[in-house]
Amino acid sequence: MNITVCIKQVPSTSEVEIDEKTGNLKRDGVDSKINPYDLFALEEAVRIKKKNNATVNALTMGPNQAEEILHEAYCLGADQGYLITDRKCAGADVLATSKALSEGIKKVGKSDLIICGKQTTDGDTAQVGAEIAELLGIPHANNVLEIKEVKEDSIILDIDLPTMVQTIEMQLPCLLSVDKDINQPRLPSYKLKKVTKDKKILSFGVADFEDSDESHYGMNGSPTQVVRIFPPESTKETETWEGNSDELAEKMAQKILELKIL
Ligand SMILES: Cc1cc2nc3c(=O)[nH]c(=O)nc-3n(C[C@H](O)[C@H](O)[C@H](O)COP(=O)(O)OP(=O)(O)OC[C@H]3O[C@@H](n4cnc5c(N)ncnc54)[C@H](O)[C@@H]3O)c2cc1C
């Protein structure tokens, strides 16, 4: 069985500056880490690997520095790391990102199961998993709470719906986006770190894809564009009011009108 896990490199801090002109995150000098939700995805894959004798591929799209998280994935039990890195993928919106990842998954080889995190802590759209599955033409399930059984051709899982937990059986190959309560991710293994320290990461770009039409990737393949992006204004200014409840309610109402909240 072949499992491919999509992992993304995200900033380790929420205090990342944004270049107001380009709308891009200023990532230089900012520490990065594996997107926390993707640790649950990787852990789930490694648990299935132990039970079902599977191979776990970790796939990311990003600049060369994203190799770091693939080396970390080796220390968490991944067998092979793959990096999609190409200037032609730069400036991708969600659709172009999903397109590149879906082509990357084909390039990795036959995947019986693809596992993504529920969402990222930087882009935070929670759309990539479903879009990859649509582009690959395979079924997908979001908010997966538990993988109950992996069979030869199907998988049984619990998914978290707004008012109930549903148990479903899906045909393989399929894509799952897993929630954070699905498991307790392990810590990186020092032993695996030593064994995999020289293990190569396999890289590819648009020219290697089955669909190598450059207009489908990066800015060219992005139907949406960020018009303006800016950090929300915040102030530490505080006001303290005194008075009885009627006076305070009146002041509060005036303030709400003054700030045009209503
Ligand atoms: C209109 C628009 C324009 C954008 N322009 C730019 C830009 O110019 N430059 C820029 O850097 N970003 C840009 N982005 C952000 C970029 O599109 C997102 O980083 C990307 O689409 C992933 O979306 P997300 O982070 O919301 O992932 P989510 O949908 O929240 O992630 C779900 C899961 O998908 C997987 N996943 C997501 N991204 C990756 C990845 N790269 N590699 C591996 N797995 C992944 C992970 O398993 C993750 O847990 C833009 C976004 C939009 C909406």
Side-chain angles (χ1 to χ4, degrees):
M1 175 176 214
N2 257 311
I3 308 174
T4 299
V5 185
C6 295
I7 61 174
K8 184 182 181 189
Q9 191 179 44
V10 296
S12 318
T13 164
S14 58
E15 301 192 352
V16 181
E17 287 182 48
I18 293 165
D19 184 324
E20 290 196 30
K21 273 194 196 135
T22 61
N24 287 336
L25 296 180
K26 290 185 188 168
R27 293 179 191 266
D28 286 351
V30 175
D31 282 346
S32 298
K33 61 176 182 182
I34 298 183
N35 174 46
Y37 280 94
D38 302 347
L39 291 172
F40 300 101
L42 190 53
E43 174 66 28
E44 207 53 30
V46 173
R47 289 185 188 196
I48 296 172
K49 164 180 157 172
K50 301 238 148 112
K51 273 196 214 148
N52 299 59
N53 195 22
T55 301
V56 176
N57 307 304
L59 171 70
T60 193
M61 178 175 95
N64 280 321
Q65 72 181 50
E67 274 206 359
E68 285 166 23
I69 60 163
L70 294 171
H71 281 292
E72 199 179 330
Y74 286 152
C75 304
L76 293 165
D79 298 297
Q80 183 61 57
Y82 294 90
L83 171 67
I84 302 169
T85 190
D86 193 327
R87 296 292 315 155
K88 295 182 187 93
C89 292
D93 70 359
V94 180
L95 183 66
T97 301
S98 307
K99 171 71 181 165
L101 287 170
S102 66
E103 290 293 320
I105 288 165
K106 287 190 222 165
K107 181 81 190 147
V108 165
K110 179 183 167 287
S111 292
D112 304 289
L113 184 61
I114 299 153
I115 313 183
C116 291
K118 182 181 172 184
Q119 65 196 84
T120 62
T121 51
D122 58 353
D124 207 7
T125 63
Q127 293 172 5
V128 167
E131 290 195 18
I132 294 173
E134 288 299 313
L135 288 162
L136 292 173
I138 58 172
H140 58 91
N142 286 337
N143 296 355
V144 174
L145 280 181
E146 188 185 345
I147 295 179
K148 290 178 162 312
E149 193 182 346
V150 181
K151 298 185 181 175
E152 183 77 18
D153 297 316
S154 66
I155 187 162
I156 300 177
L157 25 116
D158 276 356
I159 50 174
D160 191 15
L161 297 180
T163 54
M164 69 181 98
V165 172
Q166 197 176 50
T167 303
I168 57 165
E169 182 162 4
M170 283 173 85
Q171 290 303 301
L172 299 175
C174 67
L175 183 146
L176 313 177
S177 297
V178 298
D179 216 332
K180 65 175 167 31
D181 297 324
I182 192 164
N183 57 43
Q184 177 68 47
R186 71 196 61 204
L187 293 170
S189 147
Y190 179 65
K191 198 172 148 204
L192 281 176
K193 187 172 182 172
K194 275 176 76 180
V195 175
T196 61
K197 85 177 161 32
D198 297 323
K199 193 170 172 72
K200 294 270 176 292
I201 303 294
L202 302 178
S203 301
F204 37 79
V206 171
D208 304 306
F209 290 157
E210 187 182 295
D211 174 3
S212 55
D213 182 340
E214 292 176 14
S215 68
H216 295 158
Y217 302 94
M219 209 130 34
N220 292 336
S222 298
T224 50
Q225 247 127 52
V226 178
V227 177
R228 182 170 170 242
I229 190 163
F230 53 93
E233 280 175 26
S234 65
T235 165
K236 293 208 168 90
E237 216 175 273
T238 55
E239 275 181 46
T240 309
W241 300 330
E242 284 179 15
N244 63 35
S245 53
D246 286 346
E247 289 162 352
L248 291 174
E250 178 58 28
K251 276 194 181 182
M252 181 70 84
Q254 277 173 12
K255 195 71 184 172
I256 287 170
L257 291 173
E258 185 189 314
L259 294 174
K260 297 193 168 70
I261 294 169
L262 283 178

